[in-house]
């Protein structure tokens, strides 16, 4: 049973969203109406819809599907492969953390768009595409296996995202088109071959027994109905102009509950706050950084080209801190790596000078680790 979905209202900047289609830019008002109808359709399927406001900083931000994979065991924040989309994740992190206790993150050099991930039964297929590389797919497979789930890769040749060209329904029923009709990975499924002129209909969602399908593909609709699925069509023509048609889909999960066990924490507020600073590029405190005195502190920055920080593993805060710090240092011409370690080992090793510093620690920590200097986290004027 799927209970909730996350959507984000399209922004005005959607007219500048990524596309390789020659259908022209979307009409903003029409996109808004279609998105509202899509949100209503999700509600009609019984979902509680979490509606995020439009984010003008990211033209593609309405395509929330790409920035997180929500599984029954954990959520995985992705690292979208289009440079203009990578930071969308920062704004999504606090939303996801509100609903999940376990939040993982894909890190550089991995790239992963969740539009490239198809759950078929219990298995996740990951498309290797222009947006998803092997490093990203391997990180995801490792994360899945830590939570008792499985994944494997599928190479894409023509479509943008895996779910642009195929979809999974239930009981082994799989919608396939184009390059997916003869992939050995999928021969064991009951394949519904879509006619090439209706290939875009593969981009559908099965939600609590109803198939949500794009409008305008009557043959595909009949094929799905013939398998016994009720179909509801929605007009997403304005989004189909933006290449990644599947990305009009929301993040949906059958594990999102509204129970009391999912509580908003200070951590969430903190990440949200970081995200705001990041998004608006305003001057201010970004995150906390401890520098190991025996290492980089006191070194003229012009001499430093590379730094390695230790930080806490399995902590989304540390991972986000690392992304912020890495970007800040990159602007100074310094590359930064992170090693994720158990919390106290991370501090001890930084304290012993094994690392150049340590990320994301509270004030007062240096009383116990006097060889570390808590670097005042003011990245003044940083843009
Ligand atoms: N326009 C959506 C995407 O390319 O990701």
């Amino acid at each position: 049973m799927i209970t909730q979905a996350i959507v984000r209202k399209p922004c005005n900047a959607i007219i500048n969203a990524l596309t390789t289609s020659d259908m022209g830019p979307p009409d903003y008002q029409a996109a808004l109406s279609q998105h509202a109808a899509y949100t209503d359709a999700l509600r009609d399927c019984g979902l509680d819809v979490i509606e995020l406001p439009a984010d003008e900083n990211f033209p593609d931000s309405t395509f929330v599907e790409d920035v997180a994979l929500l599984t029954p065991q954990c959520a995985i924040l992705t690292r979208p492969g289009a440079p203009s989309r990578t930071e969308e994740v920062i704004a999504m992190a606090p939303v996801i953390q509100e609903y999940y206790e376990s939040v993982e993150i894909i890190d550089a050099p991995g790239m992963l768009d969740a539009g490239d991930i198809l759950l078929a039964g219990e298995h996740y297929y990951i498309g290797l595409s222009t947006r998803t590389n092997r490093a990203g797919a391997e990180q995801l497979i490792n994360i899945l296996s830590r939570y008792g789930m499985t994944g494997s890769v599928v190479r894409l040749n023509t479509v943008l995202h895996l779910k642009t060209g195929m979809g999974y329904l239930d009981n082994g029923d799989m919608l396939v088109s184009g390059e997916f009709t003869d992939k050995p990975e999928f021969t064991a499924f009951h394949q519904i071959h879509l006619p090439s002129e209706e290939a875009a209909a593969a981009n559908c969602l099965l939600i609590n027994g109803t198939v949500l399908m794009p409008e305008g593909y009557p043959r595909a609709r009949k094929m799905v109905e013939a398998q016994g699925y009720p179909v509801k069509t929605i007009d997403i023509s304005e989004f189909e102009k933006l290449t990644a048609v599947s990305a009009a889909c929301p993040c949906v999960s059958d594990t999102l509950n509204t129970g009391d066990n999912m509580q908003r924490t200070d951590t969430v507020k903190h990440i949200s706050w970081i995200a705001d600073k990041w998004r608006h590029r305003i001057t201010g405190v970004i995150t906390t950084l401890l520098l190991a005195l025996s290492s980089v502190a006191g070194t003229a920055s012009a001499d430093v080209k590379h730094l390695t920080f230790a930080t806490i593993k399995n902590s989304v805060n540390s991972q986000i801190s690392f992304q912020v710090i890495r970007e800040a240092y990159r602007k100074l011409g310094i590359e930064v790596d992170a090693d994720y370690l158990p919390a106290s080992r991370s501090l001890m090793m930084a304290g012993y000078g094994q690392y150049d510093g340590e990320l994301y620690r509270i004030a007062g920590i240096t009383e116990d680790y006097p060889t570390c200097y808590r670097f005042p986290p003011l990245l003044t004027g940083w843009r």
Side-chain angles (χ1 to χ4, degrees):
M1 176 82 179
I2 299 172
T3 56
Q4 289 179 298
I6 299 169
V7 299
R8 188 185 287 286
K9 210 169 159 180
C11 56
N12 284 284
I14 195 173
I15 56 170
N16 300 317
L18 296 170
T19 185
T20 54
S21 96
D22 55 6
M23 291 190 267
D27 176 278
Y28 179 57
Q29 289 307 326
L32 276 184
S33 312
Q34 289 182 1
H35 195 265
Y38 165 63
T39 305
D40 286 345
L42 294 174
R43 288 202 182 93
D44 290 347
C45 291
L47 301 192
D48 170 27
V49 181
I50 300 152
E51 284 190 82
L52 306 179
D55 185 347
E56 293 296 342
N57 294 294
F58 300 106
D60 289 278
S61 54
T62 192
F63 301 120
V64 286
E65 181 191 42
D66 291 314
V67 298
L69 175 68
L70 306 183
T71 81
Q73 271 73 42
C74 65
I76 298 124
L77 296 170
T78 66
R79 185 166 178 271
S84 65
R85 302 200 59 192
T86 310
E87 291 177 19
E88 283 178 31
V89 149
I90 307 278
M92 184 57 83
V95 182
I96 298 296
Q97 182 123 353
E98 193 164 350
Y99 293 96
Y100 275 87
E101 281 177 2
S102 299
V103 181
E104 303 286 342
I105 195 161
I106 301 296
D107 206 351
M111 296 186 334
L112 187 80
D113 276 17
D116 275 322
I117 303 165
L118 177 75
L119 175 63
E122 305 274 300
H123 186 79
Y124 290 88
Y125 289 96
I126 307 157
L128 295 180
S129 68
T130 53
R131 302 285 181 85
T132 296
N133 63 11
R134 192 166 281 279
E138 282 173 1
Q139 284 180 39
L140 177 62
I141 291 168
N142 283 338
I143 293 168
L144 291 172
S145 74
R146 277 198 275 118
Y147 288 88
M149 299 176 280
T150 58
S152 58
V153 298
V154 184
R155 186 165 290 285
L156 310 191
N157 297 318
T158 53
V159 294
L160 174 70
H161 283 135
L162 181 65
K163 283 187 283 190
T164 314
M166 61 186 302
Y168 183 76
L169 299 178
D170 200 5
N171 299 319
D173 294 333
M174 184 174 266
L175 295 172
V176 288
S177 67
E179 63 183 293
F180 300 108
T181 50
D182 54 8
K183 285 253 187 249
E185 290 92 334
F186 304 123
T187 47
F189 290 94
H190 170 238
Q191 297 191 354
I192 302 166
H193 286 223
L194 299 175
S196 57
E197 65 281 10
E198 297 203 5
N203 166 35
C204 60
L205 286 172
L206 176 68
I207 301 182
N208 301 335
T210 300
V211 176
L212 284 190
M213 184 178 261
E215 205 166 278
Y217 306 103
R219 290 172 66 195
R221 177 180 184 153
K222 282 206 179 80
M223 291 165 104
V224 171
E225 284 174 337
Q227 300 303 317
Y229 297 95
V231 171
K232 183 175 177 59
T233 57
I234 42 174
D235 183 1
I236 58 167
S237 54
E238 296 307 316
F239 300 90
E240 287 179 328
K241 295 174 179 171
L242 298 173
T243 311
V245 289
S246 73
C249 300
C251 287
V252 289
S253 166
D254 53 2
T255 58
L256 285 182
N257 299 308
T258 49
D260 290 337
N261 56 331
M262 305 282 185
Q263 287 172 359
R264 178 184 281 271
T265 63
D266 285 341
T267 308
V268 172
K269 288 180 192 140
H270 179 74
I271 294 178
S272 167
W273 178 81
I274 289 174
D276 266 351
K277 301 293 180 210
W278 175 283
R279 195 165 51 238
H280 301 300
R281 297 290 201 281
I282 61 175
T283 302
V285 178
I286 305 293
T287 184
T288 306
L289 172 67
L290 294 179
L291 289 183
L293 286 175
S294 57
S295 180
V296 67
T299 309
S301 64
D303 296 329
V304 177
K305 291 280 170 263
H306 190 268
L307 298 171
T308 304
F309 296 131
T311 192
I312 308 168
K313 74 175 185 184
N314 297 333
S315 158
V316 74
N317 294 358
S318 293
Q319 291 164 338
I320 289 173
S321 286
F322 171 60
Q323 295 200 4
V324 174
I325 289 289
R326 181 179 52 193
E327 188 57 25
Y329 272 98
R330 193 166 278 159
K331 288 172 195 286
L332 297 171
I334 300 171
E335 284 305 313
V336 171
D337 282 333
D339 276 357
Y340 292 93
L341 303 171
S344 46
R345 196 189 312 163
S346 172
L347 265 174
M348 271 193 313
M349 292 186 75
Y352 289 153
Q354 302 284 318
Y355 287 93
D356 297 313
E358 220 263 356
L359 299 179
Y360 197 70
R361 290 294 181 174
I362 54 170
I365 195 92
T366 50
E367 283 168 27
D368 292 326
Y369 293 87
T371 56
C372 286
Y373 171 71
R374 186 165 177 268
F375 187 74
L378 288 168
L379 302 180
T380 309
W382 177 58
R383 286 182 178 272

